[in-house]
Amino acid sequence: MKTTRRDFLKVSSLTGIGLATTSVSESYGNVVENVRKNKAQKFNMSGYAAPKLETVRIGFVGLGNRGPAAVNRMSHIEGADIKALCDIRPEQANAVKKKLEGTSHNPQVYSGNADEWKKMCERKDIDLVYIATPWHLHAPMAVYAMNQGKHVCIEVPAAKTLEECWQLVETSEKTKKHCIILENCCYDFFELLTLNMIRQGLFGEIVHGEGAYIHTLIDSNFDKDGYHDMWRLKENFRNGNLYPTHGLGPVAQAMDINRGDKMDYLVAVSSNDFQMGVMAKELAQKDDFYKAYANKTFRGNMNTTTIRTSKGKTIMLQHDVTSPAVYSRIHKISGTKGSCLKYPQPGKIAFGHKDWVGEEEYKQLEAKYAAPIVTRVGEMAKKVGGHGGMDFLMDWRTIDCLRNGLPVDMDVYDAAAWSAIAPLSEKSVANRSNSVDIPDFTAGAWKTNVPVDISLEKGGTTKVIM
Ligand SMILES: NC(=O)c1ccc[n+]([C@@H]2O[C@H](COP(=O)([O-])OP(=O)(O)OC[C@H]3O[C@@H](n4cnc5c(N)ncnc54)[C@H](O)[C@@H]3O)[C@@H](O)[C@H]2O)c1
């Protein structure tokens, strides 16, 4: 039976958060999911071009591990004006301001209490709010900023709950402000090369994709001096694929998800937790600080989530940030004519079942099919840095789209659909891996939305300041 836009289906009575609202109350516990199945689209943000901005005036919020590097990257982009820096901890914001001394940027600092970011969002002379805070603050901050007339960039995942995903969609449609998910892996060089080859038809029809986030974070999660206020450790009280977008983003673009196809349903299974609970107990014996974590139930080491799309394709995602496994985001694409696989590095390409192409042929393919953005700014991106340059490509492309009045590559439907995998996988895991429907955040527009433009035929005019 179909529910309507405002019908909420309570699927469990777990403790923790209630409905997410625009309040910034912390919410780390298991998710009580409320599912809105249908919606009428107010306005289609896919393919929407906002009015050109010659200068993009930016306010940053969240200047911990990740935020300061984003500020630095933006300082290398023509037309990006760093107007404001916000972090609840003054020392974080002030340190970033100091680094900008001697540049053309003179940002105002917002700090000292948990709501200062609102004042920054309320300023009239800011166009874009760039959010790199803990996950539970992403959607509340983005919704508030869009309601204040700002475009937003949100670190991954863009939202924690389905309700928050819907709020992002509704607010972006209502305000006509871009809600960009900062999925930097979509700009990794191998992912861009193979996406371009897919677009040229070299892999035939894409049948299957795989992605992952396998990255040992157990020590960082338990580090008192690591993530602010232990936010990332607390997130691990949830059980599912908490961080799906690094693996999913590039696969979704290869499969034109939300733009020709959509994710239909998923099945998720989690292993037990074999390490986090043990570590919490061990630490608590030596240090009272950890007693609060000693009796918690933690996410299983490995989560495997399988998605089927409306056009009958499949995606496999994995998440393990505990086991001491070698880093991998997988990135496998399998088509009727070709396939690719990355991790281990370097990536491989094949046009048959016998073997991957050799080094020489790979180089030829790379020369012929390098994505235009890589040809244009790839070398400079490597110099500015950020995960080998992909972070810079992402920021440069974002600013270039805003300056040229172009649709953004990763819009609010991507932000919602990719982020929704986390709460939906939790729901499946909590229900013996039963299948769970994935909402259509585009309200049917996926059938006619056009694929992301990777041609750089429009725009590409923004200079890199070296
Ligand atoms: N895309 C990537 O490759 C990548 C890599 C690392 C982190 N991230 C993402 O970046 C985000 C931040 O991660 P991090 O590692 O920097 O975490 P962090 O804990 O180091 O930084 C978060 C910052 O937010 C600040 N903060 C908390 N509450 C605030 C409030 N109310 N107002 C203003 N500031 C507040 C904290 O003081 C802290 O400095 C997360 O969403 C994470 O998933 C993405």
Side-chain angles (χ1 to χ4, degrees):
M1 195 182 80
K2 293 259 179 195
T3 49
T4 60
R5 179 83 165 103
R6 284 282 159 191
D7 279 346
F8 288 2
L9 174 64
K10 205 171 202 178
V11 296
S12 76
S13 58
L14 300 168
T15 56
I17 63 164
L19 288 179
T21 66
T22 49
S23 88
V24 292
S25 63
E26 290 191 2
S27 50
Y28 299 110
N30 287 325
V31 174
V32 177
E33 269 317 331
N34 297 282
V35 182
R36 302 186 207 176
K37 286 203 167 165
N38 294 341
K39 74 167 215 127
Q41 195 170 52
K42 274 202 185 77
F43 180 83
N44 191 358
M45 288 301 290
S46 181
Y48 170 68
K52 287 184 189 183
L53 295 166
E54 197 177 316
T55 303
V56 182
R57 299 164 299 178
I58 313 169
F60 290 85
V61 55
L63 298 164
N65 298 314
R66 181 77 176 144
V71 177
N72 174 55
R73 294 193 301 271
M74 286 295 186
S75 73
H76 288 275
I77 301 175
E78 180 195 25
D81 185 3
I82 299 160
K83 286 292 231 190
L85 300 170
C86 175
D87 196 287
I88 191 168
R89 297 178 291 172
E91 66 277 18
Q92 293 299 121
N94 288 327
V96 179
K97 182 169 164 86
K98 198 160 175 26
K99 285 220 163 120
L100 290 171
E101 277 174 10
T103 71
S104 59
H105 307 277
N106 184 22
Q108 187 175 338
V109 165
Y110 293 81
S111 195
N113 81 66
D115 282 338
E116 278 297 294
W117 57 273
K118 289 188 179 168
K119 287 188 197 149
M120 184 181 88
C121 293
E122 286 157 13
R123 269 172 71 158
K124 298 283 175 249
D125 60 347
I126 286 179
D127 306 298
L128 172 69
V129 173
Y130 197 109
I131 301 166
T133 50
W135 301 341
H136 66 279
L137 298 171
H138 287 183
M141 287 177 165
V143 166
Y144 192 86
M146 283 189 278
N147 278 327
Q148 295 299 320
K150 314 298 187 259
H151 298 301
V152 292
C153 285
I154 322 177
E155 261 303 344
V156 295
K160 273 186 62 171
T161 66
L162 281 190
E163 173 59 24
E164 286 183 346
C165 290
W166 282 117
Q167 287 176 12
L168 293 180
V169 169
E170 288 174 345
T171 312
S172 179
E173 289 179 358
K174 180 185 78 182
T175 58
K176 295 190 183 152
K177 292 294 159 191
H178 289 303
C179 177
I180 300 157
I181 181 169
L182 291 165
E183 193 27 86
N184 47 341
C185 300
C186 290
Y187 296 87
D188 205 346
F189 292 67
F190 181 76
E191 282 80 338
L192 283 170
L193 167 70
T194 49
L195 177 61
N196 200 19
M197 291 174 67
I198 289 164
R199 290 288 173 80
Q200 315 287 323
L202 272 82
F203 288 9
E205 182 89 25
I206 304 306
V207 178
H208 176 75
E210 296 182 14
Y213 190 64
I214 296 173
H215 183 196
T216 311
L217 293 177
I218 190 164
D219 291 335
S220 319
N221 277 333
F222 278 103
D223 181 356
K224 279 190 221 173
D225 300 320
Y227 302 108
H228 177 244
D229 196 25
M230 309 301 283
W231 70 265
R232 204 152 177 172
L233 177 60
K234 294 171 192 169
E235 290 291 355
N236 289 275
F237 304 157
R238 302 157 61 202
N239 195 12
N241 182 338
L242 307 187
Y243 206 58
T245 71
H246 284 337
L248 178 57
V251 170
Q253 289 195 338
M255 287 189 173
D256 291 334
I257 297 297
N258 294 333
R259 299 173 174 82
D261 199 355
K262 73 166 173 63
M263 295 185 286
D264 189 9
Y265 64 88
L266 66 75
V267 165
V269 60
S270 282
S271 74
N272 280 355
D273 161 43
F274 291 93
Q275 288 177 266
M276 292 192 80
V278 174
M279 190 156 172
K281 284 187 180 64
E282 280 173 7
L283 287 166
Q285 279 176 359
K286 293 181 245 156
D287 184 343
D288 283 354
F289 174 83
Y290 291 102
K291 284 204 167 132
Y293 304 98
N295 293 315
K296 292 289 183 189
T297 303
F298 291 94
R299 167 193 53 73
N301 282 47
M302 172 64 86
N303 177 274
T304 303
T305 296
T306 314
I307 298 163
R308 189 178 151 91
T309 75
S310 290
K311 291 202 167 162
K313 300 167 179 201
T314 50
I315 301 170
M316 190 277 286
L317 299 176
Q318 291 196 315
H319 176 264
D320 182 350
V321 295
T322 306
S323 313
V326 176
Y327 179 91
S328 173
R329 298 200 312 267
I330 303 185
H331 199 60
K332 175 175 180 168
I333 302 287
S334 202
T336 53
K337 291 185 182 161
S339 65
C340 66
L341 176 65
K342 189 170 76 174
Y343 298 101
Q345 296 246 48
K348 304 278 186 200
I349 292 168
F351 298 108
H353 71 278
K354 284 199 179 131
D355 206 351
W356 308 106
V357 302
E359 220 172 296
E360 210 37 55
E361 193 179 346
Y362 185 95
K363 276 191 192 143
Q364 286 165 10
L365 290 167
E366 200 174 27
K368 190 167 177 192
Y369 295 105
I373 188 173
V374 169
T375 313
R376 189 79 57 92
V377 288
E379 284 312 308
M380 288 181 278
K382 282 180 191 163
K383 284 188 191 131
V384 179
H387 293 103
M390 66 184 186
D391 298 0
F392 184 77
L393 290 181
M394 170 181 73
D395 290 330
W396 177 84
R397 172 72 176 154
T398 301
I399 297 300
D400 193 58
C401 287
L402 294 175
R403 294 182 76 227
N404 286 289
L406 298 174
V408 293
D409 293 347
M410 300 178 291
D411 61 34
V412 71
Y413 307 110
D414 301 320
W418 302 353
S419 304
I421 299 308
L424 293 168
S425 68
E426 285 178 71
K427 184 181 163 190
S428 179
V429 166
N431 288 282
R432 287 187 64 82
S433 306
N434 276 311
S435 73
V436 177
D437 288 352
I438 302 171
D440 173 14
F441 293 101
T442 75
W446 62 271
K447 291 175 191 157
T448 47
N449 288 341
V450 295
V452 177
D453 182 4
I454 58 166
S455 71
L456 221 60
E457 275 163 13
K458 292 181 188 157
T461 54
T462 298
K463 293 195 181 72
V464 178
I465 304 162
M466 295 305 286

